[in-house]
Amino acid sequence: MREPESVPYRVLSLLRDNGPLSRAQLSDRLEIPRPRLLAELDRMVAAGKVLEAGPAASRGGRRSTLVQLDPGLRFAAVDLGASSLDIEITDGGLEPVAAYSEAADIRSGPVAVLGRVSEILHKLAAQGHYTRLDAIGIGLPGPVSFRDGVPVSPPIMVGWNRYPVRDTLAREHGCPVVVDNDVNVMALGERHSGVARTVDHLLFVKIGSGIGSGMQHHGRIYRGAEGCAGDIGHIQVESDGPLCTCGNTGCLEAYFGGAALARDATAAARSGESAALAVRLAERGVLTAEDVAECATGGDTASIALIRNGGHRVGQVLATLVSFMNPSMIVIGGGLAGLGFVLLSEIRSVVYKRSLPLATGNLPIVMSELGPRAGVVGAALLASELCYGDRPA
Amino acid sequence: MREPESVPYRVLSLLRDNGPLSRAQLSDRLEIPRPRLLAELDRMVAAGKVLEAGPAASRGGRRSTLVQLDPGLRFAAVDLGASSLDIEITDGGLEPVAAYSEAADIRSGPVAVLGRVSEILHKLAAQGHYTRLDAIGIGLPGPVSFRDGVPVSPPIMVGWNRYPVRDTLAREHGCPVVVDNDVNVMALGERHSGVARTVDHLLFVKIGSGIGSGMQHHGRIYRGAEGCAGDIGHIQVESDGPLCTCGNTGCLEAYFGGAALARDATAAARSGESAALAVRLAERGVLTAEDVAECATGGDTASIALIRNGGHRVGQVLATLVSFMNPSMIVIGGGLAGLGFVLLSEIRSVVYKRSLPLATGNLPIVMSELGPRAGVVGAALLASELCYGDRPA
């Protein structure tokens, strides 16, 4: 059961999401009696979290003092993917003050990868983007024990099992750290600042190298018993389907996702099915999902068919999940969201046809609005929740 | 977001679940200051909800007064199935004081069925089981708008769409009424008094004429955007499977459930595949799931195969749902739970083999403990929550 929210959390998150407000506005909006609010504000000023910034515009009568987040607040938001590393430094209102991305291989292990994260953070500090961090939020591409701040049996993160990610970063940077699964983090970002604002029951689906999902109910992430809820990449689509890297057959990821799409595109190029893909394969030696997207845009029917087939498989799984959880919105994100309308329309057609009519009567299925930034936005949000005193469930 | 629980609710639900307690014990266990508690107790006594019943056993020092639920409290718990009607009258602690069951056809419509429910309730009153009801809880075999107290597009409840079930019963019996989906209600019962006590993330699966499920997270029912979450009977198991009554092909219910099992048993009897089923068909003219259960117990291989195949299909769907929601426990209930160990072991084998290992490492899959009483226990619990002042989410 969730604890009632504290006054400081309510004040700080309101300032984060609305910008500066007068004391009078805070008191009104949060329905907190004036004397109580003033006492709490004094404590928040002393803690370096808010600043009282002179008189607000008059509402008639005595002018109320304007309150804002301390402009020196800094969060680090880290989004680790299978093959990428994205970092943003934000202010207390989650506005980015610096951003950095590079390729990274999660399989090089926690010491190397987290060492690189810290190196980048120190460099951003040296460049003047922060003097100290108030909190760090980090998303990892695998199941996470949210309570312990460690990855748990993550399939693609070799050497990371139960590695103390939270404690390592906290020690190195002297601030609180929150660790979560990357898809949960993207879902959080999308609900806070993207297309899913105020959605009650959100199903976020990430289609990248692999496929995962994140659920949010009234803004709270649903993690399940072991923290692995939403891990839909190895749901069986066909019992006699192709072999998956996990050892089972017919998993969703064996049909679709960046890896499966590159494999199928290469086969289509070699078999002569797609001249456009064959040209690219000859030029570059390898094919990626981006090649398929570009060839599809150029009208290559084999590429369009690959995307359509993949969307069909994703749609089959989502149709089941929609009947089960009855979400209010589905958002598609991740690297392959770039496959665009062909993918989206195929997913829609299967879900709308196969799920319970009552569950699809009012169910938007849309592309992520934040795109590749969803992860860092969500990680910054988590960092702010930790710093502002919420206890995420 | 959930409201914090009120003091009266916390007192009343503690007395419901623990029996009489002294004022001192209540104050200790609920961490409510003594003067506040006494003032609240006075109000609850005046409202006819609790009784102060003389001195409690001494803990040394002055004796504390014993507090108990008013023995005159009465709830009506109603469980409407596709073809059955079960009613219990309980006291404030949910102990049954009277029970009544009869066959009923939900398709005879809301006026006839609810009229019959009221007739039975009035008869139970005439027999002295209650003088007035404090609340009624009722479970319906279809999607329900919990907020409005009406069924919403229920597939098997012809003529019930948006019928004002709550308001009709409230007017007739002069007490508050709470309406929910029957599987949600069974799940509530099982978590309150059955095998799933204190389970954090419960997935309850009802296999009766049809198949449905109910989820609970920390004791709260998850209903989804339109109240139809858990409706898994029409999830597609095979794209080229048999035609379902819903018009789609390959739905779970087209493969298994009471109706599908009766159909397949009849075919096995007619084709000569099962001599045992053929004998029963000749004797009675129709076969039911019970015939299959009894023949299976008697060693009939065709009957065992029918149950095993059905369990396999249910297991396929549950494997997907387990990867997605990562529950802490699965409870199998409903009329076909009587198929027993063959069914359970087949479901277990598919789920444990196909779901994410992290999600099944510590996942009991068990039979309902309350059996056919799960529905009325859950309905009585809902009625008590309403009467005791909770706001179910």
Side-chain angles (χ1 to χ4, degrees):
Chain A
M1 199 159 304
R2 201 183 167 200
E3 304 279 324
E5 288 162 342
S6 68
V7 171
Y9 174 73
R10 293 169 63 205
V11 170
L12 293 165
S13 58
L14 186 63
L15 295 173
R16 174 191 68 201
D17 302 335
N18 287 265
L21 290 169
S22 71
R23 285 172 172 177
Q25 288 169 317
L26 279 171
S27 171
D28 289 354
R29 291 224 206 160
L30 300 175
E31 296 178 15
I32 299 169
R34 205 67 183 279
R36 170 93 194 272
L37 178 69
L38 296 185
E40 295 276 5
L41 283 175
D42 282 347
R43 273 192 284 271
M44 288 183 254
V45 170
K49 289 186 179 164
V50 308
L51 211 64
E52 304 204 320
S58 170
R59 303 198 297 180
R62 202 155 58 87
R63 284 192 165 187
S64 180
T65 300
L66 201 65
V67 180
Q68 63 177 57
L69 290 171
D70 191 302
L73 282 170
R74 285 295 178 273
F75 302 125
V78 183
D79 182 14
L80 284 184
S83 56
S84 62
L85 187 173
D86 295 275
I87 296 183
E88 279 191 14
I89 306 296
T90 79
D91 64 15
L94 310 190
E95 287 302 314
V97 299
Y100 183 87
S101 298
E102 66 178 28
D105 187 350
I106 198 78
R107 291 168 304 179
S108 46
V111 176
V113 173
L114 295 180
R116 182 62 188 147
V117 167
S118 287
E119 208 172 279
I120 295 165
L121 288 176
H122 291 309
K123 194 181 290 179
L124 292 168
Q127 291 168 0
H129 296 300
Y130 69 89
T131 48
R132 77 182 167 80
L133 291 173
D134 293 280
I136 299 174
I138 177 169
L140 303 179
V144 163
S145 164
F146 186 75
R147 201 193 49 197
D148 300 339
V150 302
V152 182
S153 311
I156 64 164
M157 297 171 69
V158 183
W160 287 76
N161 188 30
R162 300 208 70 85
Y163 189 86
V165 174
R166 180 183 63 202
D167 298 348
T168 303
L169 288 176
R171 211 167 31 238
E172 176 76 19
H173 299 278
C175 70
V177 177
V178 54
V179 185
D180 207 335
N181 166 266
D182 62 343
V183 192
N184 285 345
V185 169
M186 293 169 82
L188 271 179
E190 204 66 43
R191 186 173 187 274
H192 187 259
S193 322
V195 67
R197 261 173 261 208
T198 78
V199 164
D200 282 346
H201 304 289
L202 170 63
L203 176 57
F204 184 94
V205 181
K206 177 193 174 183
I207 313 180
S209 307
I211 298 181
S213 77
M215 277 166 281
Q216 264 185 78
H217 306 303
H218 298 282
R220 314 302 291 182
I221 293 174
Y222 173 74
R223 296 192 170 82
E226 310 291 334
C228 63
D231 216 329
I232 62 173
H234 300 280
I235 284 176
Q236 193 176 50
V237 184
E238 298 281 354
S239 52
D240 52 356
L243 191 68
C244 182
T245 50
C246 75
N248 267 319
T249 54
C251 297
L252 180 56
E253 283 191 11
Y255 283 102
F256 198 53
L261 195 55
R263 176 201 66 201
D264 293 348
T266 307
R270 291 205 175 123
S271 70
E273 223 179 309
S274 164
L277 289 169
V279 169
R280 284 173 180 251
L281 181 62
E283 277 170 22
R284 312 186 187 168
V286 288
L287 289 175
T288 66
E290 269 166 43
D291 294 307
V292 181
E294 286 167 20
C295 289
T297 308
D300 177 51
T301 52
S303 296
I304 294 172
L306 287 178
I307 298 171
R308 211 181 278 285
N309 291 340
H312 189 82
R313 298 302 183 178
V314 174
Q316 281 181 290
V317 169
L318 294 187
T320 291
L321 304 184
V322 164
S323 292
F324 181 59
M325 87 166 259
N326 184 203
S328 344
M329 179 185 275
I330 297 179
V331 178
I332 311 286
L336 266 62
L339 295 174
F341 187 71
V342 176
L343 176 64
L344 195 60
S345 70
E346 189 64 32
I347 292 175
R348 282 182 181 148
S349 111
V350 178
V351 171
Y352 292 151
K353 176 165 179 291
R354 277 298 329 179
S355 302
L356 204 67
L358 183 56
T360 55
N362 182 22
L363 175 67
I365 304 178
V366 297
M367 284 295 179
S368 158
E369 208 172 276
L370 299 177
R373 280 195 68 234
V376 286
V377 172
L381 180 67
L382 270 181
S384 77
E385 301 267 295
L386 185 63
C387 173
Y388 296 163
D390 189 34
R391 312 183 183 189
Chain B
M1 196 159 304
R2 201 182 168 201
E3 304 280 321
E5 288 162 344
S6 68
V7 171
Y9 174 73
R10 293 169 63 206
V11 170
L12 293 165
S13 58
L14 186 62
L15 295 174
R16 175 190 68 202
D17 300 336
N18 288 264
L21 290 169
S22 72
R23 285 173 172 177
Q25 288 169 318
L26 279 171
S27 171
D28 288 356
R29 291 222 207 161
L30 299 175
E31 297 178 16
I32 298 169
R34 204 67 183 280
R36 171 91 195 271
L37 178 68
L38 296 186
E40 295 276 4
L41 283 176
D42 283 346
R43 273 191 284 270
M44 288 184 253
V45 170
K49 290 187 178 164
V50 307
L51 211 63
E52 304 206 320
S58 171
R59 303 197 296 181
R62 202 154 59 88
R63 284 191 165 189
S64 180
T65 301
L66 202 65
V67 180
Q68 64 177 57
L69 290 172
D70 191 301
L73 282 169
R74 287 293 179 273
F75 302 125
V78 184
D79 182 15
L80 284 184
S83 56
S84 62
L85 188 173
D86 295 276
I87 295 183
E88 280 191 14
I89 305 296
T90 79
D91 65 15
L94 309 191
E95 288 302 315
V97 299
Y100 182 88
S101 297
E102 66 178 28
D105 187 349
I106 198 79
R107 291 169 303 180
S108 45
V111 176
V113 173
L114 295 180
R116 181 63 187 146
V117 166
S118 287
E119 206 173 282
I120 295 165
L121 288 176
H122 290 310
K123 194 181 289 179
L124 291 168
Q127 290 167 0
H129 296 299
Y130 70 88
T131 48
R132 76 181 168 83
L133 291 174
D134 294 279
I136 299 175
I138 178 168
L140 303 179
V144 163
S145 164
F146 185 76
R147 200 193 50 196
D148 300 339
V150 302
V152 183
S153 312
I156 63 164
M157 298 172 68
V158 182
W160 287 76
N161 188 30
R162 300 207 72 85
Y163 189 86
V165 174
R166 180 183 64 202
D167 298 347
T168 302
L169 288 176
R171 209 167 32 238
E172 176 76 19
H173 299 278
C175 70
V177 177
V178 52
V179 185
D180 207 337
N181 166 267
D182 62 343
V183 192
N184 285 345
V185 169
M186 293 170 82
L188 271 180
E190 205 66 43
R191 186 172 187 272
H192 186 260
S193 323
V195 68
R197 261 173 260 210
T198 78
V199 163
D200 282 347
H201 304 289
L202 170 63
L203 176 56
F204 183 95
V205 181
K206 176 192 176 184
I207 313 180
S209 306
I211 299 181
S213 77
M215 278 166 279
Q216 264 185 78
H217 306 303
H218 299 282
R220 313 303 289 184
I221 293 174
Y222 173 73
R223 296 192 170 80
E226 309 291 335
C228 63
D231 217 328
I232 63 174
H234 300 280
I235 284 176
Q236 190 176 52
V237 184
E238 299 280 355
S239 51
D240 51 356
L243 190 68
C244 181
T245 50
C246 75
N248 267 319
T249 54
C251 296
L252 180 55
E253 284 192 11
Y255 283 101
F256 198 52
L261 196 55
R263 174 200 68 202
D264 293 348
T266 307
R270 293 208 172 121
S271 70
E273 224 180 308
S274 165
L277 288 171
V279 168
R280 284 175 179 249
L281 182 61
E283 279 171 22
R284 312 187 188 170
V286 287
L287 289 174
T288 67
E290 270 165 41
D291 294 306
V292 180
E294 285 166 20
C295 289
T297 307
D300 178 51
T301 52
S303 295
I304 294 172
L306 286 179
I307 298 171
R308 210 182 279 287
N309 291 342
H312 189 82
R313 297 302 183 178
V314 174
Q316 282 181 289
V317 169
L318 293 188
T320 291
L321 304 184
V322 164
S323 292
F324 181 60
M325 87 165 260
N326 183 201
S328 342
M329 179 184 273
I330 297 179
V331 177
I332 312 287
L336 266 62
L339 295 174
F341 187 71
V342 175
L343 176 64
L344 195 60
S345 71
E346 189 64 31
I347 291 175
R348 281 181 181 148
S349 110
V350 178
V351 172
Y352 291 152
K353 176 165 180 290
R354 276 299 328 180
S355 302
L356 204 66
L358 182 56
T360 55
N362 182 23
L363 176 67
I365 304 178
V366 298
M367 284 295 179
S368 158
E369 209 173 274
L370 299 178
R373 280 195 67 234
V376 285
V377 172
L381 180 68
L382 270 181
S384 77
E385 301 268 294
L386 184 64
C387 173
Y388 296 164
D390 189 35
R391 311 183 185 190

PDB file of all heavy atoms in Angstrom, chain B residues 216-238:
ATOM      1  N   GLN B 216      -5.069  -9.192  -8.584  1.00  0.00           N
ATOM      2  CA  GLN B 216      -5.055  -8.333  -7.411  1.00  0.00           C
ATOM      3  C   GLN B 216      -3.636  -7.961  -7.063  1.00  0.00           C
ATOM      4  O   GLN B 216      -2.762  -8.817  -7.027  1.00  0.00           O
ATOM      5  CB  GLN B 216      -5.639  -9.071  -6.231  1.00  0.00           C
ATOM      6  CG  GLN B 216      -7.080  -8.768  -6.022  1.00  0.00           C
ATOM      7  CD  GLN B 216      -7.543  -9.454  -4.766  1.00  0.00           C
ATOM      8  OE1 GLN B 216      -7.290  -9.005  -3.664  1.00  0.00           O
ATOM      9  NE2 GLN B 216      -8.175 -10.573  -4.966  1.00  0.00           N
ATOM     10  N   HIS B 217      -3.426  -6.680  -6.814  1.00  0.00           N
ATOM     11  CA  HIS B 217      -2.106  -6.201  -6.422  1.00  0.00           C
ATOM     12  C   HIS B 217      -2.217  -5.616  -5.022  1.00  0.00           C
ATOM     13  O   HIS B 217      -2.954  -4.657  -4.818  1.00  0.00           O
ATOM     14  CB  HIS B 217      -1.599  -5.174  -7.431  1.00  0.00           C
ATOM     15  CG  HIS B 217      -1.630  -5.715  -8.827  1.00  0.00           C
ATOM     16  ND1 HIS B 217      -0.963  -6.871  -9.183  1.00  0.00           N
ATOM     17  CD2 HIS B 217      -2.287  -5.321  -9.936  1.00  0.00           C
ATOM     18  CE1 HIS B 217      -1.182  -7.127 -10.454  1.00  0.00           C
ATOM     19  NE2 HIS B 217      -1.995  -6.202 -10.941  1.00  0.00           N
ATOM     20  N   HIS B 218      -1.540  -6.224  -4.086  1.00  0.00           N
ATOM     21  CA  HIS B 218      -1.617  -5.812  -2.683  1.00  0.00           C
ATOM     22  C   HIS B 218      -3.072  -5.694  -2.237  1.00  0.00           C
ATOM     23  O   HIS B 218      -3.452  -4.736  -1.572  1.00  0.00           O
ATOM     24  CB  HIS B 218      -0.862  -4.494  -2.463  1.00  0.00           C
ATOM     25  CG  HIS B 218       0.588  -4.607  -2.800  1.00  0.00           C
ATOM     26  ND1 HIS B 218       1.510  -5.199  -1.961  1.00  0.00           N
ATOM     27  CD2 HIS B 218       1.284  -4.261  -3.905  1.00  0.00           C
ATOM     28  CE1 HIS B 218       2.692  -5.187  -2.515  1.00  0.00           C
ATOM     29  NE2 HIS B 218       2.600  -4.624  -3.706  1.00  0.00           N
ATOM     30  N   GLY B 219      -3.873  -6.665  -2.649  1.00  0.00           N
ATOM     31  CA  GLY B 219      -5.248  -6.719  -2.182  1.00  0.00           C
ATOM     32  C   GLY B 219      -6.225  -5.842  -2.930  1.00  0.00           C
ATOM     33  O   GLY B 219      -7.412  -5.847  -2.623  1.00  0.00           O
ATOM     34  N   ARG B 220      -5.748  -5.068  -3.905  1.00  0.00           N
ATOM     35  CA  ARG B 220      -6.663  -4.232  -4.682  1.00  0.00           C
ATOM     36  C   ARG B 220      -6.898  -4.897  -6.027  1.00  0.00           C
ATOM     37  O   ARG B 220      -5.957  -5.287  -6.721  1.00  0.00           O
ATOM     38  CB  ARG B 220      -6.084  -2.832  -4.940  1.00  0.00           C
ATOM     39  CG  ARG B 220      -5.499  -2.148  -3.725  1.00  0.00           C
ATOM     40  CD  ARG B 220      -6.462  -2.002  -2.599  1.00  0.00           C
ATOM     41  NE  ARG B 220      -7.521  -1.016  -2.843  1.00  0.00           N
ATOM     42  CZ  ARG B 220      -8.430  -0.696  -1.917  1.00  0.00           C
ATOM     43  NH1 ARG B 220      -8.439  -1.288  -0.747  1.00  0.00           N
ATOM     44  NH2 ARG B 220      -9.343   0.212  -2.187  1.00  0.00           N
ATOM     45  N   ILE B 221      -8.153  -4.957  -6.423  1.00  0.00           N
ATOM     46  CA  ILE B 221      -8.486  -5.515  -7.725  1.00  0.00           C
ATOM     47  C   ILE B 221      -7.985  -4.580  -8.818  1.00  0.00           C
ATOM     48  O   ILE B 221      -8.141  -3.367  -8.725  1.00  0.00           O
ATOM     49  CB  ILE B 221     -10.000  -5.679  -7.871  1.00  0.00           C
ATOM     50  CG1 ILE B 221     -10.495  -6.748  -6.900  1.00  0.00           C
ATOM     51  CG2 ILE B 221     -10.367  -6.042  -9.303  1.00  0.00           C
ATOM     52  CD1 ILE B 221     -11.997  -6.874  -6.882  1.00  0.00           C
ATOM     53  N   TYR B 222      -7.380  -5.171  -9.864  1.00  0.00           N
ATOM     54  CA  TYR B 222      -7.011  -4.371 -11.023  1.00  0.00           C
ATOM     55  C   TYR B 222      -8.105  -4.516 -12.082  1.00  0.00           C
ATOM     56  O   TYR B 222      -8.382  -5.627 -12.534  1.00  0.00           O
ATOM     57  CB  TYR B 222      -5.662  -4.812 -11.597  1.00  0.00           C
ATOM     58  CG  TYR B 222      -5.379  -4.094 -12.884  1.00  0.00           C
ATOM     59  CD1 TYR B 222      -5.024  -2.751 -12.873  1.00  0.00           C
ATOM     60  CD2 TYR B 222      -5.547  -4.724 -14.106  1.00  0.00           C
ATOM     61  CE1 TYR B 222      -4.824  -2.069 -14.053  1.00  0.00           C
ATOM     62  CE2 TYR B 222      -5.346  -4.042 -15.293  1.00  0.00           C
ATOM     63  CZ  TYR B 222      -4.988  -2.714 -15.253  1.00  0.00           C
ATOM     64  OH  TYR B 222      -4.800  -2.031 -16.422  1.00  0.00           O
ATOM     65  N   ARG B 223      -8.725  -3.411 -12.449  1.00  0.00           N
ATOM     66  CA  ARG B 223      -9.890  -3.480 -13.346  1.00  0.00           C
ATOM     67  C   ARG B 223      -9.616  -2.986 -14.762  1.00  0.00           C
ATOM     68  O   ARG B 223     -10.358  -3.299 -15.669  1.00  0.00           O
ATOM     69  CB  ARG B 223     -11.047  -2.658 -12.772  1.00  0.00           C
ATOM     70  CG  ARG B 223     -11.570  -3.188 -11.465  1.00  0.00           C
ATOM     71  CD  ARG B 223     -12.880  -2.545 -11.074  1.00  0.00           C
ATOM     72  NE  ARG B 223     -13.437  -3.262  -9.944  1.00  0.00           N
ATOM     73  CZ  ARG B 223     -13.052  -3.091  -8.689  1.00  0.00           C
ATOM     74  NH1 ARG B 223     -12.140  -2.195  -8.403  1.00  0.00           N
ATOM     75  NH2 ARG B 223     -13.586  -3.808  -7.725  1.00  0.00           N
ATOM     76  N   GLY B 224      -8.580  -2.181 -14.955  1.00  0.00           N
ATOM     77  CA  GLY B 224      -8.288  -1.664 -16.287  1.00  0.00           C
ATOM     78  C   GLY B 224      -9.170  -0.485 -16.642  1.00  0.00           C
ATOM     79  O   GLY B 224      -9.991  -0.027 -15.843  1.00  0.00           O
ATOM     80  N   ALA B 225      -8.989   0.003 -17.871  1.00  0.00           N
ATOM     81  CA  ALA B 225      -9.626   1.255 -18.290  1.00  0.00           C
ATOM     82  C   ALA B 225     -11.150   1.154 -18.328  1.00  0.00           C
ATOM     83  O   ALA B 225     -11.847   2.074 -17.922  1.00  0.00           O
ATOM     84  CB  ALA B 225      -9.092   1.691 -19.653  1.00  0.00           C
ATOM     85  N   GLU B 226     -11.674   0.033 -18.830  1.00  0.00           N
ATOM     86  CA  GLU B 226     -13.128  -0.085 -18.993  1.00  0.00           C
ATOM     87  C   GLU B 226     -13.730  -1.123 -18.054  1.00  0.00           C
ATOM     88  O   GLU B 226     -14.889  -1.520 -18.214  1.00  0.00           O
ATOM     89  CB  GLU B 226     -13.467  -0.475 -20.442  1.00  0.00           C
ATOM     90  CG  GLU B 226     -12.826   0.375 -21.516  1.00  0.00           C
ATOM     91  CD  GLU B 226     -13.387   1.790 -21.549  1.00  0.00           C
ATOM     92  OE1 GLU B 226     -14.523   1.994 -21.116  1.00  0.00           O
ATOM     93  OE2 GLU B 226     -12.650   2.690 -21.996  1.00  0.00           O
ATOM     94  N   GLY B 227     -12.919  -1.638 -17.117  1.00  0.00           N
ATOM     95  CA  GLY B 227     -13.439  -2.636 -16.182  1.00  0.00           C
ATOM     96  C   GLY B 227     -13.435  -4.048 -16.716  1.00  0.00           C
ATOM     97  O   GLY B 227     -13.993  -4.948 -16.100  1.00  0.00           O
ATOM     98  N   CYS B 228     -12.831  -4.276 -17.888  1.00  0.00           N
ATOM     99  CA  CYS B 228     -12.858  -5.627 -18.452  1.00  0.00           C
ATOM    100  C   CYS B 228     -11.504  -6.325 -18.375  1.00  0.00           C
ATOM    101  O   CYS B 228     -11.297  -7.353 -19.015  1.00  0.00           O
ATOM    102  CB  CYS B 228     -13.396  -5.628 -19.881  1.00  0.00           C
ATOM    103  SG  CYS B 228     -12.381  -4.717 -21.034  1.00  0.00           S
ATOM    104  N   ALA B 229     -10.572  -5.818 -17.578  1.00  0.00           N
ATOM    105  CA  ALA B 229      -9.285  -6.497 -17.431  1.00  0.00           C
ATOM    106  C   ALA B 229      -9.519  -7.919 -16.938  1.00  0.00           C
ATOM    107  O   ALA B 229     -10.433  -8.168 -16.164  1.00  0.00           O
ATOM    108  CB  ALA B 229      -8.402  -5.741 -16.445  1.00  0.00           C
ATOM    109  N   GLY B 230      -8.697  -8.841 -17.406  1.00  0.00           N
ATOM    110  CA  GLY B 230      -8.801 -10.231 -16.966  1.00  0.00           C
ATOM    111  C   GLY B 230      -9.669 -11.096 -17.855  1.00  0.00           C
ATOM    112  O   GLY B 230      -9.775 -12.302 -17.643  1.00  0.00           O
ATOM    113  N   ASP B 231     -10.280 -10.490 -18.856  1.00  0.00           N
ATOM    114  CA  ASP B 231     -11.206 -11.241 -19.703  1.00  0.00           C
ATOM    115  C   ASP B 231     -10.421 -12.045 -20.737  1.00  0.00           C
ATOM    116  O   ASP B 231     -10.263 -11.644 -21.891  1.00  0.00           O
ATOM    117  CB  ASP B 231     -12.163 -10.260 -20.375  1.00  0.00           C
ATOM    118  CG  ASP B 231     -13.556 -10.856 -20.473  1.00  0.00           C
ATOM    119  OD1 ASP B 231     -13.657 -12.088 -20.615  1.00  0.00           O
ATOM    120  OD2 ASP B 231     -14.528 -10.096 -20.403  1.00  0.00           O
ATOM    121  N   ILE B 232      -9.932 -13.215 -20.329  1.00  0.00           N
ATOM    122  CA  ILE B 232      -8.972 -13.957 -21.149  1.00  0.00           C
ATOM    123  C   ILE B 232      -9.601 -15.076 -21.978  1.00  0.00           C
ATOM    124  O   ILE B 232      -8.906 -15.749 -22.728  1.00  0.00           O
ATOM    125  CB  ILE B 232      -7.861 -14.564 -20.265  1.00  0.00           C
ATOM    126  CG1 ILE B 232      -8.439 -15.581 -19.272  1.00  0.00           C
ATOM    127  CG2 ILE B 232      -7.117 -13.469 -19.513  1.00  0.00           C
ATOM    128  CD1 ILE B 232      -7.375 -16.324 -18.466  1.00  0.00           C
ATOM    129  N   GLY B 233     -10.904 -15.248 -21.884  1.00  0.00           N
ATOM    130  CA  GLY B 233     -11.557 -16.368 -22.583  1.00  0.00           C
ATOM    131  C   GLY B 233     -11.461 -16.277 -24.091  1.00  0.00           C
ATOM    132  O   GLY B 233     -11.516 -17.289 -24.785  1.00  0.00           O
ATOM    133  N   HIS B 234     -11.313 -15.047 -24.614  1.00  0.00           N
ATOM    134  CA  HIS B 234     -11.276 -14.902 -26.064  1.00  0.00           C
ATOM    135  C   HIS B 234      -9.902 -14.491 -26.577  1.00  0.00           C
ATOM    136  O   HIS B 234      -9.765 -13.924 -27.660  1.00  0.00           O
ATOM    137  CB  HIS B 234     -12.400 -13.973 -26.529  1.00  0.00           C
ATOM    138  CG  HIS B 234     -13.731 -14.524 -26.142  1.00  0.00           C
ATOM    139  ND1 HIS B 234     -14.348 -15.521 -26.859  1.00  0.00           N
ATOM    140  CD2 HIS B 234     -14.499 -14.308 -25.043  1.00  0.00           C
ATOM    141  CE1 HIS B 234     -15.472 -15.868 -26.248  1.00  0.00           C
ATOM    142  NE2 HIS B 234     -15.585 -15.148 -25.134  1.00  0.00           N
ATOM    143  N   ILE B 235      -8.886 -14.802 -25.797  1.00  0.00           N
ATOM    144  CA  ILE B 235      -7.520 -14.689 -26.296  1.00  0.00           C
ATOM    145  C   ILE B 235      -7.317 -15.791 -27.326  1.00  0.00           C
ATOM    146  O   ILE B 235      -7.738 -16.929 -27.134  1.00  0.00           O
ATOM    147  CB  ILE B 235      -6.521 -14.816 -25.118  1.00  0.00           C
ATOM    148  CG1 ILE B 235      -6.513 -13.505 -24.325  1.00  0.00           C
ATOM    149  CG2 ILE B 235      -5.139 -15.197 -25.601  1.00  0.00           C
ATOM    150  CD1 ILE B 235      -5.653 -13.529 -23.087  1.00  0.00           C
ATOM    151  N   GLN B 236      -6.652 -15.431 -28.436  1.00  0.00           N
ATOM    152  CA  GLN B 236      -6.461 -16.412 -29.510  1.00  0.00           C
ATOM    153  C   GLN B 236      -5.294 -17.347 -29.186  1.00  0.00           C
ATOM    154  O   GLN B 236      -4.175 -16.890 -28.951  1.00  0.00           O
ATOM    155  CB  GLN B 236      -6.189 -15.697 -30.829  1.00  0.00           C
ATOM    156  CG  GLN B 236      -6.225 -16.638 -32.028  1.00  0.00           C
ATOM    157  CD  GLN B 236      -6.047 -15.883 -33.332  1.00  0.00           C
ATOM    158  OE1 GLN B 236      -5.120 -15.111 -33.504  1.00  0.00           O
ATOM    159  NE2 GLN B 236      -6.962 -16.107 -34.257  1.00  0.00           N
ATOM    160  N   VAL B 237      -5.567 -18.642 -29.193  1.00  0.00           N
ATOM    161  CA  VAL B 237      -4.527 -19.623 -28.914  1.00  0.00           C
ATOM    162  C   VAL B 237      -3.882 -20.105 -30.214  1.00  0.00           C
ATOM    163  O   VAL B 237      -2.672 -20.293 -30.293  1.00  0.00           O
ATOM    164  CB  VAL B 237      -5.113 -20.815 -28.131  1.00  0.00           C
ATOM    165  CG1 VAL B 237      -4.029 -21.797 -27.757  1.00  0.00           C
ATOM    166  CG2 VAL B 237      -5.835 -20.332 -26.889  1.00  0.00           C
ATOM    167  N   GLU B 238      -4.696 -20.316 -31.234  1.00  0.00           N
ATOM    168  CA  GLU B 238      -4.187 -20.702 -32.560  1.00  0.00           C
ATOM    169  C   GLU B 238      -4.957 -19.887 -33.588  1.00  0.00           C
ATOM    170  O   GLU B 238      -6.172 -19.775 -33.491  1.00  0.00           O
ATOM    171  CB  GLU B 238      -4.451 -22.188 -32.854  1.00  0.00           C
ATOM    172  CG  GLU B 238      -3.806 -23.170 -31.907  1.00  0.00           C
ATOM    173  CD  GLU B 238      -2.324 -23.418 -32.206  1.00  0.00           C
ATOM    174  OE1 GLU B 238      -1.820 -22.889 -33.220  1.00  0.00           O
ATOM    175  OE2 GLU B 238      -1.696 -24.122 -31.397  1.00  0.00           O
TER     176      GLU B 238
END
